[in-house]
Amino acid sequence: MSPASTVLITGCSSGFGLETARFFLDKGWRVVAAMRTPREDVLPPSERLRVLPLDVTDIASIRRCVDAAGPIDALVNNAGVGMAGPLEAIDLNHARTVYETNTLGTIAMTQAVLPQFRQRRAGVVVNVTSTVTLAPLPLLSVYTGSKAAVNAFTESLALELAPFDVRVRLVLPGRSPSTSFGNNARRLMSEDVPEAYAEFTQGVFAAIRDTSTPVTYAEDVAEAVWQAVTDPAAPMRIPAGADAVAAATAAR
Ligand SMILES: NC(=O)c1ccc[n+]([C@@H]2O[C@H](COP(=O)([O-])OP(=O)(O)OC[C@H]3O[C@@H](n4cnc5c(N)ncnc54)[C@H](OP(=O)(O)O)[C@@H]3O)[C@@H](O)[C@H]2O)c1
């Protein structure tokens, strides 16, 4: 791939997606930064940058975005939402939103770009999941399921697309309290936790927010995505962040 290559990244309004868009711009790539609510001002001005609207749960929005983007060399499925809490307290409609976004959103975006990759016999899809799929934590059952499904989807698809020279990879970030992830997740969480879980829930949430142990930074994710896109020898699963590398090593 040359510096004139184009990457389409989903979920660029904040966090990992925003940093990854910056990273690829710095490397001289053309970047299509997709956002639910497009905002040019969050990224440095560049003639190589295009900001396009995209809701990954809306197939018409996906088609418009992929058509407007034109030929791309890499797709980064980064858009995602979190959800935490005891399963008993989870609203099934909120669980649907998590799967619609994290799992089906990734599948639908991948479907939309595959014809061009297959025809050109080139292209990379990078799916951002999570190390909670390697080292499960309590209270994240719905979120973990939505991301573990993407791991399995990606590993099967990689075999299907290898004959067409299309690469598919996973980036697994660790815990990153500095993105908007926690606040966005809280919108989908119930205030109404059964008393039996209250103390346990408080303890787990405090551990999730703790920054005294190693965490993942947005730059770690940008670098891992860069490796996944540009290095054909990159492994299928790339942990991003010090805690993620430790979790992946322990899981092995
Ligand atoms: N932070 C962590 O601890 C952590 C750890 C492991 C993995 N991850 C994964 O890393 C990815 C990025 O998360 P982050 O930490 O950077 O969180 P973030 O700051 O909340 O960013 C998530 C992005 O996804 C977008 N998004 C959500 N729903 C969407 C939809 N239906 N269509 C299009 N875009 C949508 C958000 O857009 P809006 O601004 O419009 O909501 C936002 O741009 C996610 O897939 C997440 O699951 C995060």
Side-chain angles (χ1 to χ4, degrees):
M1 295 206 189
S2 69
S5 301
T6 303
V7 62
L8 192 170
I9 306 167
T10 69
C12 286
S13 66
S14 62
F16 300 160
L18 179 59
E19 186 59 32
T20 304
R22 270 196 212 112
F23 193 96
F24 276 78
L25 281 172
D26 282 350
K27 295 284 188 185
W29 275 50
R30 296 181 194 283
V31 172
V32 180
M35 302 180 197
R36 262 202 296 208
T37 309
R39 279 186 56 190
E40 300 273 349
D41 60 332
V42 292
L43 282 158
S46 167
E47 60 182 21
R48 288 179 286 101
L49 170 67
R50 268 188 307 156
V51 175
L52 292 180
L54 171 69
D55 181 337
V56 300
T57 65
D58 175 350
I59 194 69
S61 168
I62 289 176
R63 288 208 187 100
R64 280 194 298 273
C65 177
V66 170
D67 285 352
I72 61 167
D73 300 283
L75 166 68
V76 180
N77 284 309
N78 163 78
V81 282
M83 169 182 269
L87 185 63
E88 281 190 51
I90 283 174
D91 179 328
L92 199 53
N93 283 323
H94 289 167
R96 282 202 179 92
T97 300
V98 172
Y99 274 80
E100 287 282 349
T101 309
N102 298 356
T103 315
L104 284 165
T106 294
I107 292 172
M109 279 302 297
T110 307
Q111 252 188 345
V113 306
L114 275 194
Q116 57 166 303
F117 285 2
R118 174 178 48 73
Q119 280 156 23
R120 291 205 307 271
R121 298 191 72 92
V124 190
V125 179
V126 180
N127 294 332
V128 177
T129 65
S130 172
T131 49
V132 295
T133 60
L134 307 178
L137 292 170
L139 308 181
L140 296 177
S141 59
V142 170
Y143 174 72
T144 304
S146 76
K147 291 292 191 178
V150 174
N151 288 355
F153 159 78
T154 305
E155 288 173 347
S156 170
L157 190 67
L159 301 174
E160 180 176 322
L161 298 179
F164 302 108
D165 299 323
V166 176
R167 288 188 292 120
V168 192
R169 293 289 185 274
L170 287 164
V171 164
L172 295 90
R175 190 170 53 91
S176 185
S178 59
T179 69
S180 306
F181 191 67
N183 281 338
N184 288 334
R186 270 186 276 284
R187 285 193 223 133
L188 296 179
M189 279 152 55
S190 168
E191 301 283 312
D192 196 12
V193 174
E195 185 54 33
Y197 294 99
E199 199 182 325
F200 179 59
T201 301
Q202 275 174 16
V204 174
F205 285 179
I208 289 175
R209 285 193 297 268
D210 179 21
T211 49
S212 66
T213 55
V215 293
T216 295
Y217 298 97
E219 303 78 48
D220 299 326
V221 179
E223 278 169 22
V225 171
W226 175 255
Q227 185 193 355
V229 169
T230 59
D231 178 3
M236 164 57 70
R237 294 176 175 220
I238 306 175
D243 57 334
V245 170
T249 306
R252 271 199 297 275

